[in-house]
Amino acid sequence: FDYTHRKQTGGAGQVANVIGDIEPTGFGAEDEPFEFENHVKGGNIPQEYIASCEAGFKDAMAKGPLAEFPLAGVKVNLRDGKQHEVDSSDLAFRTCSRTALQEAIRAAGPCLLEPIMKVEVETPVDFQGGVIGDLSSRRGIVSGMDTREDLAVVVASVPLAEMFGYATALRSSTAGKATYSMEFEKYAVLPKTQQHEVIEACAAAKKRDALKN
């Protein structure tokens, strides 16, 4: 990105320029959703404005271009910039940085993420095949199988969106003899077809809310 913010009012104006790039980072359970590194040399952006730049980038992280979901997995490298001797300010650099990141994200081709859960099912061996088949039908990926006393233990990674109603389905398919536990594992890219469905649903909900108001 190489973005210049200019705003002129009756009083002092707002002028700032930021130059840099963005790159993807991990978005697992232990990863920070946002990273920032300052590489500005020679005082082209005075040190007192660097914190304002970082704050502006963080502002942009709160609302992404896809259905206004928060952003994650973004690293911002601030490389250079320019100030105006009179019209630069904390507000100018914060606004400039926010818009710069918003435009960079749009150009980078963002995608929606979905939470993936680690699911562990304990079931009588007779029902093991059915349990695995059901998890697979929910876009689950089986990562381990074991035995615990007289029970089969199936471990799988399953999208949270596919787990609604699972307790009832598992109870029904195993005559109430299986149990399961579930915990957050990571985020993963949502398949394209479902991305479109989510974006369209959010747009429709936003339109309904606007009509109510």
Side-chain angles (χ1 to χ4, degrees):
F1 57 86
D2 183 347
Y3 182 78
T4 299
H5 169 70
R6 288 190 181 91
K7 183 177 181 181
Q8 198 66 45
T9 61
Q14 294 181 26
V15 179
N17 168 257
V18 293
I19 300 170
D21 53 75
I22 62 173
E23 58 184 284
T25 66
F27 38 78
E30 303 301 323
D31 294 308
E32 291 293 328
F34 171 76
E35 296 179 26
F36 171 75
E37 286 191 7
N38 172 33
H39 302 276
V40 177
K41 306 292 185 182
N44 287 347
I45 299 178
Q47 189 61 39
E48 61 264 29
Y49 295 142
I50 298 299
S52 299
C53 292
E54 183 176 3
F57 294 133
K58 285 183 178 179
D59 290 343
M61 293 290 296
K63 186 183 290 186
L66 300 182
E68 299 185 350
F69 284 110
L71 293 163
V74 178
K75 180 181 179 181
V76 178
N77 297 299
L78 182 61
R79 305 288 183 184
D80 204 354
K82 297 174 185 174
Q83 67 156 336
H84 188 279
E85 291 185 3
V86 176
D87 291 336
S88 286
S89 63
D90 287 320
L91 177 60
F93 272 100
R94 183 166 184 164
T95 303
C96 182
S97 299
R98 180 177 66 244
T99 308
L101 182 54
Q102 288 172 338
E103 292 191 354
I105 291 292
R106 289 191 190 95
C111 57
L112 290 181
L113 303 177
E114 64 176 340
I116 304 297
M117 312 304 290
K118 178 182 178 182
V119 179
E120 183 175 297
V121 183
E122 290 188 353
T123 177
V125 175
D126 292 346
F127 300 110
Q128 182 177 357
V131 166
I132 293 173
D134 184 54
L135 290 172
S136 297
S137 73
R138 296 171 184 270
R139 295 193 286 131
I141 298 175
V142 175
S143 58
M145 288 183 284
D146 200 357
T147 56
R148 193 172 295 163
E149 297 179 350
D150 57 344
L151 296 173
V153 180
V154 180
V155 180
S157 299
V158 189
L160 177 61
E162 304 291 344
M163 289 301 294
F164 294 106
Y166 183 66
T168 300
L170 181 65
R171 194 162 50 243
S172 175
S173 64
T174 63
K177 296 179 180 179
T179 60
Y180 81 101
S181 62
M182 180 172 69
E183 62 181 27
F184 175 75
E185 181 178 13
K186 62 182 180 180
Y187 285 103
V189 176
L190 186 66
K192 283 289 185 183
T193 54
Q194 279 142 322
Q195 287 195 43
H196 293 313
E197 291 173 4
V198 170
I199 292 170
E200 289 176 1
C202 290
K206 188 174 181 179
K207 187 175 181 180
R208 286 195 300 271
D209 290 342
L211 291 173
K212 289 179 182 178
N213 298 328

